Every structure is written in structure tokens, then in C-alpha cells.
Amino acid sequence: MPIRDKAIGWKRRRIFLHPIDFASQWLEDGTSKVMTGQGAGTPVFAALGVAASELVGIAIGAAGDEVYAFLPIPWDLDPDYPVWARIWFTHDSTDADTPDWRVDFKLIKKQIAISDAKSSPDLTLTFAAKAVSTTSGALEVLQWEKGSLTFDEDDLAMMIAVECNGLGGADADEIKFMGLELAYTVRATVDVRETTKPTPEDDDTNPIAS
């Protein structure tokens, strides 16, 4: 009997988008030679407040700062189940500030103009304000939020917008965005007996349709 995903207790698969994964939406400004984001606030890369960490994040200068990423739809994503997300960042202060965030997802089809993920999002996840640690430079990881995306068979990718909706008392550049973590339910089997399809194109051109 063929194996079916519904009979398998798959763990959710996780994807981590690092700050550099959001750099595809950045351009050099032509004057200062600094790569700046194309979203609101034009955020820039900056060293974390703890110099010994030797790490770089995306500095959040004001409420409404946003960054964008482009992600092909994972071939093994099961569209019948929610997509999960949580935000990672650091906070360079001893104040118990309360920033809040939102993440917008926009599905993209082949040969259709790509639009701003926030102009007409297919899914918006909000992350309520929550007090951060009073240890300066501490890593903050928000609770998971989830929502459902309605996929069409010709959806191939998604644009993702991450916005710091409010600083919650933090000063400019105290918050460094460190990445977005996604999780989804796996659907890795298909209703055929072959272990492989004739060509890679047949196998992954349309991850939602199989």
C-alpha cells in the first residue's frame, strides 16, 4: 500500500531567514556606499551592541521600519495546514521596552507582476507588544504565531515583509533584527508509485499541485 503523508507523524519543518536573506531587497544609496533597505525607514546593517559577539543584524531606527525577503514555496509544504512564524532580535538597553511586530505574506505567480507584500497581503501575522529582557544585548525570540495561506496551483513563491510596528519605548537602533523563523507541516509523498519523476522540472515546478 502506498505511503500517505496523513499516516505519518511528520515533525514540522523549520526555515530560518537570516538578515542577509533580506538583503535581496537592498540597494547601495549612491552616496554613502551603504546598502540600505527598500522598505519603509530604509534600515541598514549594524553591529550588535555586544561588540564581542562579532555579529551583525538589521538596525531598527523607528516604528514602521520594514525589511523584505523573497522565498520560493518549499516543495514539501502541505497547503492544508497553517504556516507558523516567529521573530528573532536583540535589544541593546537595560530598559524593559515593549516593541511589537507584524509579518505580511504575499503569494507570487509566474508571469504576474510582483507587488508589495503589504499592499494586499495574503496573510498577516501580528506579534503583540511584549517586554524584553533588561539584560542589554540579550537575544529575544517571540512566541510562534500562525495563519493559513490559500494557495493556487500556479503560486510559486512568496514575498515576506517584516515590520517593527512600534518600538515600545526603545531608542533608535537599539533593536537589531536577527531573522525570521518559519515552520510548516510536511507533505513529501505523492499519489504515484514512482520514486522519482522523469525530470526535476516535473518534480518541483509546482509544489502545491502535486
Side-chain angles (χ1 to χ4, degrees):
M1 177 179 293
I3 296 174
R4 298 288 186 267
D5 282 277
K6 298 298 190 274
I8 301 172
W10 295 110
K11 287 186 176 181
R12 289 189 184 91
R13 180 156 295 171
R14 296 184 182 183
I15 299 174
F16 192 84
L17 300 178
H18 296 265
I20 195 65
D21 292 314
F22 290 81
S24 64
Q25 313 306 320
W26 293 39
L27 289 174
E28 189 265 309
D29 65 7
T31 302
S32 62
K33 309 303 180 185
V34 174
M35 297 291 287
T36 59
Q38 298 305 291
T42 59
V44 299
F45 286 107
L48 302 191
V50 180
S53 71
E54 312 296 347
L55 295 175
V56 170
I58 298 175
I60 303 300
D65 278 9
E66 58 188 21
V67 291
Y68 286 77
F70 177 88
L71 178 70
I73 297 172
W75 70 272
D76 57 354
L77 182 150
D78 192 329
D80 294 334
Y81 293 92
V83 173
W84 298 69
R86 64 179 179 178
I87 295 170
W88 296 46
F89 64 97
T90 62
H91 176 251
D92 298 327
S93 171
T94 57
D95 297 329
D97 296 321
T98 55
D100 63 282
W101 303 75
R102 63 179 277 175
V103 178
D104 292 287
F105 298 83
K106 178 69 175 179
L107 297 173
I108 301 171
K109 297 175 172 60
K110 181 179 179 180
Q111 297 185 330
I112 299 296
I114 297 175
S115 61
D116 181 357
K118 293 180 61 181
S119 63
S120 55
D122 293 298
L123 172 64
T124 297
L125 298 179
T126 57
F127 298 80
K130 181 181 177 182
V132 300
S133 168
T134 54
T135 299
S136 182
L139 175 66
E140 303 289 342
V141 181
L142 298 181
Q143 296 293 318
W144 290 101
E145 297 292 343
K146 67 177 180 177
S148 295
L149 283 163
T150 301
F151 294 93
D152 292 332
E153 290 191 355
D154 50 353
D155 289 325
L156 293 180
M158 61 180 77
M159 183 78 83
I160 303 172
V162 178
E163 176 187 346
C164 184
N165 194 51
L167 298 183
D171 291 337
D173 300 334
E174 283 184 351
I175 295 172
K176 306 296 195 304
F177 173 70
M178 294 300 292
L180 176 70
E181 188 175 11
L182 303 175
Y184 60 88
T185 299
V186 170
R187 185 178 72 177
T189 65
V190 293
D191 296 329
V192 294
R193 290 182 178 274
E194 293 85 355
T195 56
T196 59
K197 292 185 178 181
T199 68
E201 183 177 77
D202 292 331
D203 187 55
D204 63 16
T205 295
N206 191 341
I208 299 303
S210 59

